[in-house]
Amino acid sequence: RHAYYGAWLPNTAHVKVAFTMHRLYTGLIYDLRGIRSDFAFLVLAVVGCVALWAAGKKRQVLLLSTVSIGWLFYIFVIGGDIFECYRQFLPAMALMAFLIAGCGLLILSAPLRFSRTRVAIFMTLTVLVLTSNLFAAREKWTPQGKQLGLFLDIAFGAKHPLLVADPAGVIPYYAHMEAIDPLGLSDYHIARHPIASRGEGFMGHELGDGKYVLDHDPDIVLLSNFQSTIYFPADKQLVADSRFAAHYQLIQLDAGPPDAVRVRLYLRRIDGKLGIESSGDQVTVPAYLANIDDAN
């Protein structure tokens, strides 16, 4: 890691990890909600522990259960995660799957071999695990971000603009643009300039350096969500800089289908790759800068 990144810890550790009471609280809530979400899976793991222990597999049970519980404790300490679906549970669940295999011992063991009740219980729990995603609300944020990224690639990609986006994953990925993450998750400078209150706010969204971002003269700026709501400290620092009001104009875009979304973002209207162009005695104003009330 040090040879590749030049540092022992990734940016995300500098941005997210803070040992505060607030982080412990969010970590506890994340663990409890994750347990609730994966309750059927965890019940099977506990039953498997009992079966394997009774079968004399005590060392295996101790190893798998200790590491699994230790991982959940680690999640508690670092404050959990902000995304849905409890992805941080996956390492522990991979280990618990070996414990669940022990459930088969109860079905096969005498004197109630292939008991209808046991088989019915295990089949019901298994079906609940396999169909759990059917009960999850479909999140449209990521596919809408994909549509916006594809739109930006088609509309502006040939000019190779510099993009600034709080959603610094899906949008730059599909836009194929050089990007700055104003929150610091993928920016070396911002990640290593923490604030005194880090660990007391929304994980991963506390840092920022508006001056540093604007010093790069970005061409496209997307704040917070698809509506460019001024919400996070990084957003507030950007708009507080006098250069932002002087050089950037709000426009609207309709991206999609299939996951259509109307987006509000800022374009650098002068001295940029996408703004007003001057050549001799001729000035060219792009149509998308003509009226902010219309889209595209």
Side-chain angles (χ1 to χ4, degrees), residues 115-239:
S115 163
R116 292 182 179 179
T117 302
R118 289 183 178 182
V119 173
I121 291 174
F122 292 133
M123 289 298 294
T124 300
L125 290 172
T126 301
V127 170
L128 286 175
V129 172
L130 294 176
T131 61
S132 59
N133 280 343
L134 298 178
F135 300 98
R138 184 170 184 267
E139 182 187 350
K140 291 185 174 292
W141 186 87
T142 303
Q144 287 177 342
K146 173 184 177 180
Q147 293 301 318
L148 174 57
L150 293 173
F151 183 100
L152 293 177
D153 184 30
I154 294 172
F156 305 124
K159 294 188 176 182
H160 305 290
L162 176 60
L163 169 66
V164 171
D166 286 353
V170 63
I171 296 174
Y173 179 84
Y174 284 102
H176 300 101
M177 291 179 181
E178 183 180 358
I180 296 177
D181 175 9
L183 302 177
L185 290 167
S186 59
D187 187 274
Y188 189 94
H189 168 81
I190 296 176
R192 286 159 179 79
H193 286 75
I195 58 175
S197 60
R198 186 169 67 94
E200 302 296 335
F202 188 36
M203 176 187 288
H205 297 73
E206 299 173 288
L207 305 188
D209 189 337
K211 180 181 181 304
Y212 161 81
V213 172
L214 289 179
D215 284 345
H216 287 78
D217 298 329
D219 298 288
I220 306 173
V221 178
L222 180 64
L223 303 177
S224 185
N225 51 27
F226 296 138
Q227 298 302 310
S228 282
T229 304
I230 302 169
Y231 186 74
F232 303 124
D235 306 330
K236 296 176 182 178
Q237 293 176 19
L238 279 171
V239 299

Side-chain angles (χ1 to χ4, degrees), residues 31 62-78 88 91-92 95-96:
D31 270 342
L62 288 174
L63 173 64
L64 294 171
S65 60
T66 300
V67 177
S68 298
I69 295 173
W71 181 263
L72 298 184
F73 180 76
Y74 162 75
I75 295 175
F76 162 67
V77 172
I78 65 171
Q88 294 284 11
L95 295 175
M96 291 179 187

Side-chain angles (χ1 to χ4, degrees), residues 16-34:
K16 292 185 175 182
V17 179
F19 300 104
T20 64
M21 292 302 296
H22 178 69
R23 281 287 190 272
L24 291 177
Y25 171 76
T26 59
L28 176 62
I29 296 300
Y30 186 87
D31 270 342
L32 293 176
R33 290 177 176 173

